[in-house]
Amino acid sequence: MSAVIPGTSLALHPDRFPDPADDLPADRDAGRAVLAGGCFWCVEAVYDALDGVDSVVSGYIGGDADSATYEAVCGGHTGHAEAVEVRYGPRKVRFGELLKLFFSVAHDPTQKDRQGNDRGPQYRSAIFPVDDDQERVARAYIKQLESAGAFTAPIVTTLESGHVFFPAEDYHQDFARRNPRQPYIQHVAKPKLDKLHAAFPDMLKD
C-alpha cells in the first residue's frame, strides 16, 4: 500500500457537496452499507468517526469464500474488493449521508481500479447495495454529483449487487485507531480524517 492524496479530483469542497435528493427513510433503511474505496484501513477510519455508526468491519466482497484472504486478494485476481461493512442507526445517520462522505471524503471515485499508487481491481471504487432501495439511491446520487460537476473527471464507481461480505483477518480491524503512527495511516488515513473533521464536524462522535 502506497500513499495517495485524497480528493485530488474534487471540483467542489466537501462541505459544498449536495445532499442526496433521494434518500431512504429511517423505517425503510437497512442500517447496513458495504462500500469499497481503496485501502479498507482508511475507509474504516472515516466511518468509525461518525455519530450514529455502531460498527465498521474491514473485509472482502465480490469473490468466493475460499479466496477471501488478504494474501489472495492482494494478487488482484479473486474478484474481491477491499471494503467496509458499516452498521448504523438510520435515525441518527442516513444512508445518503454515508454516500455523501464516501464520495467527498473517503476516497477518489474517479480512479478506476486504483487509489493513488494502490493499483488493482481489489482497490476499485464500488458500492455493494444490500437491497434495491440502496441501489436506487446510490445510482441517483451518482447522477446528481455528475450534474453538479463535483469532480474534474468522470465518476467510475460501480454498483455491484448480490455479493457476500467476508470479514478480513483480525489484525486488519480498527487498524488506523490501533496504529495511528504507522506511516501509511499518517500519509493516507490522517488527511482524510482531517478533511472529515474540517468539513463535517457536526457529524462526528463526541
Side-chain angles (χ1 to χ4, degrees), residues 93-122:
V93 61
R94 310 267 307 270
F95 177 65
E97 292 176 304
L98 300 183
L99 292 181
K100 182 177 179 178
L101 295 181
F102 178 68
F103 286 104
S104 65
V105 174
H107 81 310
D108 182 347
T110 70
Q111 298 189 43
K112 183 174 176 58
D113 290 340
R114 60 175 289 201
Q115 284 292 298
N117 293 326
D118 291 339
R119 298 172 183 266
Q122 68 272 30

Side-chain angles (χ1 to χ4, degrees), residues 44 48 56 58 170-179:
E44 179 190 73
D48 192 51
V56 188
S58 290
D170 287 347
Y171 68 90
H172 287 299
Q173 308 303 331
D174 298 317
F175 190 90
R177 181 180 58 79
R178 293 186 294 104
N179 300 276

